[in-house]
Amino acid sequence: MKLAGTAREREALKPLRLRMWDNRQLYLFLLPAIALVIAFNYLPMYGIMIAFKDFKPHLGIIDSPWVGLKHFDRFFSMPMFEVVLKNTLLISFYVLIAGFPLPVLLALALNSTTNQRMKKLVQTITYAPHFISIVVVVGMVNIFFSPSMGIVRNLLDMLGVHEGNLGVLMNASSFPHLYVWSGVWQGLGWSSIIYLGALSAVDQSMHEAAIIDGASKFQRVMRIDLPSILPTIVILLILESGTIMNVGFEKAFLMQNSFNISTSEIINTYVYKIGIKEGQYSLSAAIGLFNSGINFIMILVVNQISKRLGQESLW
């Protein structure tokens, strides 16, 4: 142990250039990921400037005149500001509250089952929806809840619960529920994989000792499994909070109709409509920057709360 410690100390004293050269194969593997991050995350930040300019395509980004916070003031004074902000926050927190705990519960249930055939069957059934495209999922929702010929309508009619056409797709208050629970169904199994991986690292001798002490299966799940994966849960919760405003554009846009626009219009769809369809690039950039700023603040706040509570944190 002393020799190993001495070797580690000698390695730490090496100049950074030599340590990087000694691990050059590992850094080589990082190059594609670094290139992707630079290309898709850092280079586009150059375009943030148009949020503070009156962007004219024929002038370019550099030569367009500066206007300061004009476009932010314009967005905040718009009648749609409160609508899109409320809808985005409502759906985001709904997704977080409904979708975050369920994969944890599924992973704990699968990990504690002794019937391997049942475990594999449940995993296959819950993993499969992840590979269905968003377009197909929205199509399935429209077919299932079709007002006159939908499966749900026919089933309710057969049970005598509902008669006549089903107005779920035309009811604005139904949009958040359809959006969130179809997403939970699609991502439940896939999201549980990381928790199953964390549970596989739990020391089985702890379970053996708990069984000898007479602990039930539920007690072992609550006292051993759940505390063991708590750091993973906290880290993923912090990361999820950093995307609180990024409600999926594709799904919300595809599910929108003239009846539910009051609850389905979110920041991402609004940016698309005024930025791409109306050509107001500076205004859409300002709205997008505001959206990213809220995400950044959220991840800072949640990370700080986690740190103060003595839990894991990103930094």
Side-chain angles (χ1 to χ4, degrees):
M1 292 295 293
K2 185 175 181 180
L3 291 175
T6 304
R8 284 196 296 269
E9 290 173 2
R10 287 201 301 268
E11 182 70 19
L13 291 174
K14 280 185 177 181
L16 178 61
R17 178 174 53 83
L18 293 179
R19 279 185 281 142
M20 291 182 65
W21 176 253
D22 292 341
N23 298 283
R24 56 189 178 278
Q25 294 90 352
L26 299 178
Y27 283 103
L28 188 62
F29 277 112
L30 280 176
L31 284 180
I34 293 173
L36 285 174
V37 169
I38 292 174
F40 293 101
N41 293 87
Y42 284 93
L43 292 181
M45 291 177 70
Y46 168 74
I48 289 177
M49 284 193 297
I50 68 174
F52 306 95
K53 291 192 169 196
D54 190 6
F55 177 67
K56 306 292 184 184
H58 66 279
L59 294 177
I61 296 177
I62 297 296
D63 294 329
S64 295
W66 290 94
V67 293
L69 300 177
K70 170 187 171 182
H71 300 295
F72 292 93
D73 292 335
R74 183 181 169 193
F75 174 54
F76 297 150
S77 61
M78 280 182 170
M80 285 298 294
F81 169 69
E82 292 185 6
V83 175
V84 297
L85 183 61
K86 183 189 71 174
N87 292 341
T88 303
L89 290 174
L90 174 64
I91 295 175
S92 298
F93 281 108
Y94 194 173
V95 169
L96 189 63
I97 294 170
F100 188 80
L102 292 179
V104 178
L105 297 176
L106 177 62
L108 291 171
L110 290 174
N111 185 69
S112 61
T113 184
T114 56
N115 189 332
Q116 293 302 314
R117 292 184 63 183
M118 177 61 69
K119 180 179 180 179
K120 291 179 180 179
L121 177 63
V122 172
Q123 285 180 301
T124 302
I125 293 173
T126 55
Y127 292 174
H130 172 77
F131 300 98
I132 303 175
S133 71
I134 295 294
V135 176
V136 175
V137 170
V138 174
M140 292 170 64
V141 171
N142 290 333
I143 292 172
F144 289 163
F145 292 94
S146 175
S148 58
M149 300 296 293
I151 297 174
V152 176
R153 182 263 176 196
N154 293 334
L155 181 61
L156 294 176
D157 185 54
M158 184 176 62
L159 295 174
V161 178
H162 180 83
E163 293 183 2
N165 291 341
L166 189 67
V168 173
L169 294 178
M170 295 176 287
N171 188 348
S173 62
S174 300
F175 175 82
H177 305 297
L178 292 175
Y179 181 95
V180 171
W181 290 107
S182 60
V184 170
W185 168 76
Q186 187 178 16
L188 176 62
W190 190 258
S191 299
S192 68
I193 292 177
I194 191 168
Y195 300 115
L196 285 170
L199 286 167
S200 66
V202 176
D203 189 357
Q204 292 304 307
S205 63
M206 298 172 65
H207 282 279
E208 295 170 0
I211 292 172
I212 293 173
D213 290 339
S216 65
K217 183 174 291 187
F218 180 76
Q219 288 174 325
R220 286 188 282 126
V221 169
M222 297 303 296
R223 300 303 179 102
I224 298 175
D225 289 337
L226 186 58
S228 298
I229 65 171
L230 188 59
T232 303
I233 295 173
V234 172
I235 292 296
L236 290 178
L237 179 60
I238 295 172
L239 294 175
E240 285 288 331
S241 67
T243 60
I244 199 73
M245 301 288 286
N246 290 346
V247 180
F249 162 77
E250 298 91 347
K251 189 175 179 181
F253 185 72
L254 290 170
M255 291 181 67
Q256 275 186 359
N257 56 51
S258 56
F259 299 100
N260 64 21
I261 195 69
S262 61
T263 56
S264 63
E265 189 74 286
I266 58 175
I267 288 179
N268 286 337
T269 58
Y270 192 60
V271 167
Y272 164 75
K273 289 175 182 177
I274 66 172
I276 304 299
K277 297 179 72 174
E278 298 182 12
Q280 301 184 55
Y281 304 112
S282 294
L283 179 59
S284 62
I287 298 173
L289 184 58
F290 166 78
N291 200 36
S292 300
I294 296 297
N295 284 332
F296 181 67
I297 292 172
M298 283 297 299
I299 198 170
L300 289 177
V301 171
V302 176
N303 186 78
Q304 191 63 27
I305 292 173
S306 175
K307 187 184 294 186
R308 288 183 178 275
L309 293 175
Q311 299 296 331
E312 294 292 326
S313 60
L314 293 178
W315 60 84

